[in-house]
């Protein structure tokens, strides 16, 4: 899937070049051997009709590529959530196979969190980004190969600069992301424990007027979790923004 997607992206980029070249200078039709061959085989009467043919072909190609990308995206999404389903089923099967003594020693809210929340986090924050990196990396590799064929020295210099910059930024934010991940995991654990304890001891909480205790405890953990999620998502995009800024500059 990654290779096919990368080939489609490279094809879309490569197909735009001849059209722009012909649109800027129609005489290329008769000087380029490939364009001249297509022109003669299809028996075009004038350059304008050939230019319209190239434009129409380009639109159809881009339309096909976008449909193919949508199908690939659907397969990737289906795969990730099928993995989520399998992982959550394996977890609940594992917990249900525990003996009674081992089970009662575990916090039921933590087990529920592992089945419902942590599996979703693995799917959304680990597996999906890995697939995106594979797709994007393969596309970038094939584009670099195309550029190397056209302009090898320039491509190697630009590719080297981008790699060094991205590596430096990635190494600098990795530890920050690891700490945020650990803090988010702990905050989420406290949230589930608080909900479980509050709902499980609702009658006692009402009798002892401890409703605000559970509300405040949950609010603190939820606020910290929300803040860490915002930091994690923003920090993870820093390498991308930095590379794009360098590219446009």
């Amino acid at each position: 899937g990654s290779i096919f997607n990368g080939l489609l992206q490279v094809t879309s980029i490569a197909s735009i070049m001849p059209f722009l070249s012909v649109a800027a200078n129609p005489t290329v039709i008769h000087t380029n051997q490939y364009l001249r061959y297509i022109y003669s085989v299809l028996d075009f009467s004038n350059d304008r009709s050939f230019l319209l043919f190239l434009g129409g072909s380009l639109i159809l190609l881009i339309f096909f590529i976008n449909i193919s990308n949508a199908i690939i995206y659907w397969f990737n999404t289906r795969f990730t959530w099928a993995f989520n389903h399998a992982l959550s089923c394996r977890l609940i099967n594992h917990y249900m196979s525990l003996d009674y003594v081992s089970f009662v020693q575990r916090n039921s809210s933590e087990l529920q969190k592992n089945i419902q929340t942590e599996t979703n986090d693995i799917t959304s924050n680990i597996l999906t980004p890995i697939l995106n990196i594979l797709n994007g990396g393969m596309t970038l590799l094939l584009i670099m190969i195309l550029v190397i064929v056209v302009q090898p020295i320039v491509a190697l210099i630009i590719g080297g600069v981008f790699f060094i910059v991205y590596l430096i930024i990635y190494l600098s934010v990795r530890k920050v992301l690891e700490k945020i991940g650990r803090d988010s995991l702990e905050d989420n654990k406290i949230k589930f424990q608080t909900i479980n304890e509050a709902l499980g001891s609702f009658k006692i909480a009402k009798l002892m007027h401890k409703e605000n205790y559970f509300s405040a405890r949950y609010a603190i953990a939820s606020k910290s979790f929300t803040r860490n999620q915002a930091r994690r998502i923003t920090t993870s995009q820093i390498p991308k923004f930095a590379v794009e800024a360098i590219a446009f500059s």
Side-chain angles (χ1 to χ4, degrees):
S2 299
I3 298 176
F4 182 66
N5 184 61
L7 289 173
L8 289 177
Q9 299 301 326
V10 171
T11 302
S12 65
I13 294 173
S15 62
I16 293 175
M17 297 178 183
F19 176 75
L20 294 178
S21 177
V22 173
N25 183 16
T27 58
V28 174
I29 298 173
H30 307 287
T31 57
N32 183 283
Q33 58 177 337
Y34 302 108
L35 294 177
R36 185 172 65 248
Y37 175 77
I38 296 174
Y39 185 91
S40 60
V41 168
L42 298 180
D43 194 25
F44 284 96
S45 58
N46 54 69
D47 294 350
R48 185 175 181 274
S49 60
F50 184 72
L51 182 60
L52 291 175
F53 165 77
L54 288 180
S57 301
L58 180 61
I59 292 174
L60 290 176
L61 178 62
I62 293 175
F63 185 74
F64 169 76
I65 289 173
N66 286 333
I67 292 177
S68 301
N69 287 337
I71 294 174
I72 292 172
Y73 180 80
W74 178 77
F75 273 110
N76 287 341
T77 304
R78 183 180 179 183
F79 170 78
T80 55
W81 288 103
F83 175 85
N84 176 278
H85 163 73
L87 182 60
S88 61
C89 288
R90 287 186 64 181
L91 279 175
I92 194 169
N93 289 337
H94 170 70
Y95 294 147
M96 295 305 294
S97 66
L98 294 174
D99 59 84
Y100 182 76
V101 176
S102 299
F103 181 81
V104 296
Q105 291 176 346
R106 307 287 294 270
N107 190 307
S108 60
S109 66
E110 183 175 354
L111 302 184
Q112 181 184 359
K113 174 180 68 68
N114 291 340
I115 296 172
Q116 292 185 316
T117 303
E118 298 304 328
T119 53
N120 288 342
D121 286 343
I122 291 174
T123 301
S124 301
N125 301 327
I126 297 179
L127 186 58
T128 299
I130 288 175
L131 290 177
N132 291 336
I133 289 172
L134 289 176
N135 288 330
M138 184 58 64
T139 300
L140 180 61
L141 176 62
L142 293 175
I143 291 175
M144 286 299 300
I145 292 175
L146 176 64
V147 177
I148 288 174
V149 172
V150 179
Q151 292 287 344
I153 298 178
V154 175
L156 291 175
I157 294 174
I158 294 175
V161 171
F162 275 123
F163 175 77
I164 293 173
V165 171
Y166 192 90
L167 183 62
I168 292 173
I169 297 173
Y170 169 76
L171 293 176
S172 64
V173 303
R174 185 181 62 179
K175 291 184 177 180
V176 177
L177 289 174
E178 290 177 352
K179 183 179 184 304
I180 292 174
R182 289 192 298 268
D183 293 343
S184 296
L185 190 64
E186 183 63 24
D187 292 333
N188 212 24
K189 179 181 178 181
I190 295 174
K191 284 171 60 181
F192 269 83
Q193 287 180 346
T194 304
I195 293 172
N196 190 56
E197 293 171 6
L199 300 180
S201 57
F202 180 79
K203 185 177 180 179
I204 298 175
K206 295 296 288 185
L207 291 173
M208 299 182 64
H209 304 288
K210 292 292 185 179
E211 303 94 329
N212 292 335
Y213 165 76
F214 290 108
S215 299
R217 183 182 172 191
Y218 178 85
I220 293 172
S222 180
K223 184 176 181 180
S224 178
F225 178 80
T226 301
R227 182 171 58 248
N228 282 324
Q229 287 296 95
R231 289 175 58 200
R232 179 188 63 80
I233 295 172
T234 304
T235 304
S236 64
Q237 295 298 312
I238 289 177
K240 173 187 173 183
F241 294 148
V243 170
E244 288 180 352
I246 294 173
F248 282 109
S249 60

